[in-house]
Amino acid sequence: MKLEKYISEMYSNNPHWFAEEVQQAHHISRISKVLDNKNYLNGRHKILEKEDTKYKDKELITAKTVLQTAKSIIKFHNSYIIGKRPNLSGSDNMVTEYNKVFRKGKFNLINYKIVDDLNCYGDAYEYVYYNNGRITSKLIDSPDGYPVYDDEGEYVAFIEHWTDSLSNISYYYIYTDNKVEKWTNAGGKYISEGTTINITGLPIHYINGENKENELFGRSILEDIRPILDRIEYLLNKMDDAITVLSLNPIAYTSGQHIEGTVSADTVGHLLSLEDGDFKYAVANLDSASIKLLYDALIQQLQMVASVPSIAFGQTNIANVSEVSLKLIYQNLDNHARQVEVYLRDGLNERFDKIEILLNKQGIIFDADDYVDVEFNYNRPIDTSEVIEQLSKQYNDGAMSRRTYIEKSTLTSDVDIELQRIEEEGKTIVE
């Protein structure tokens, strides 16, 4: 087998090869980026490292406002591709069974989490299994996932690994084609804690297709937008400090007559009467036009790199925008969503195969020609009446079935339930 060959060539048949595998440089580098992105989304930004300074013999706490724009961009992408529940299409009997599995296994929630992981970290890992009488799956946390590829790019094993922060004990779940082994290093030695049968094979490895250096792994969109967001945060906080120190709290000075005493820096409205001399405030004139030019340029680049339409940032007035114009505004976002969809669909097809294996174990067998596919419903603002009008025309012309009509309609989410209700209403009318 390919895994045995990999262990033999890479680790000289070391039974604890998995402990060495997770320490490989490419895994450490990838996990480091995942943890860095996770910390960033939790609010630990570069701007928080900005140093404080001294001003008027006191410590000046510089502005460190954190912008959570990245989270909004991620949510925007998540909602756009998976916010509206996708529909299953294909052979009627197969779609019916798979819809049952999806409802009972809460796969729609898992779908959203997969897309979220793809956008946040570039990779997602799903293990499909049979639990307490129902087919379900679990999403393996990205920092804990170590897919193992051999030198030919073949997916040969998967390691789920983490270390408990309190006990400092490391845990390893090694997934192979036919079993799952659990190991720990409690007591300083590697201890096997059991093996279970694996019916569905290796966990599904979803990627987002953004990594041009290594196509076996994905790349987070955060790596593109973070440098721009860091610059925007720096600019806004620098401007905040400049306004506070140089404009709202200027230094007073006199020329000519000497004045005894001081003026409080925290109050305004003092009047000084000078017999000989002049009293002024040293106020800096901020070049707001240049600052605005730089800020607008950064926002424009952020929109392009993040593939988010300008309306998401409040930059465009969309009143009386036509359907065609709206599609043009969302075109860049559509392009990004379609790329994610291609790779996401590849993983979902693998999920369908694993679900079929488990359904076969329950005695549910499909014909060789039966198939199931997924139809995504992008969460783009659309003219619902225009869509329904086009669907109705095709249906009335005999160019579309009732199931396809319902699948394509934006007003229905569950095709099987809707068809069942239509059938029940028809029986009631006949009676």
Side-chain angles (χ1 to χ4, degrees), residues 141-164:
D141 201 13
S142 289
D144 301 339
Y146 297 81
V148 181
Y149 291 91
D150 63 17
D151 55 1
E152 296 179 353
E154 290 290 330
Y155 186 22
V156 296
F158 185 90
I159 304 170
E160 182 182 1
H161 163 64
W162 73 94
T163 300
D164 184 79

Side-chain angles (χ1 to χ4, degrees), residues 269-313:
H270 289 290
L271 174 64
L272 297 178
S273 179
L274 303 177
E275 294 180 0
D276 182 20
D278 195 7
F279 177 88
K280 294 181 179 180
Y281 281 103
V283 180
N285 294 319
L286 301 176
D287 189 357
S288 58
S290 297
I291 295 171
K292 185 178 186 303
L293 180 64
L294 175 58
Y295 177 78
D296 289 345
L298 288 171
I299 289 295
Q300 184 179 16
Q301 288 300 314
L302 179 62
Q303 293 169 8
M304 294 176 62
V305 173
S307 301
V308 174
S310 57
I311 58 174
F313 295 95

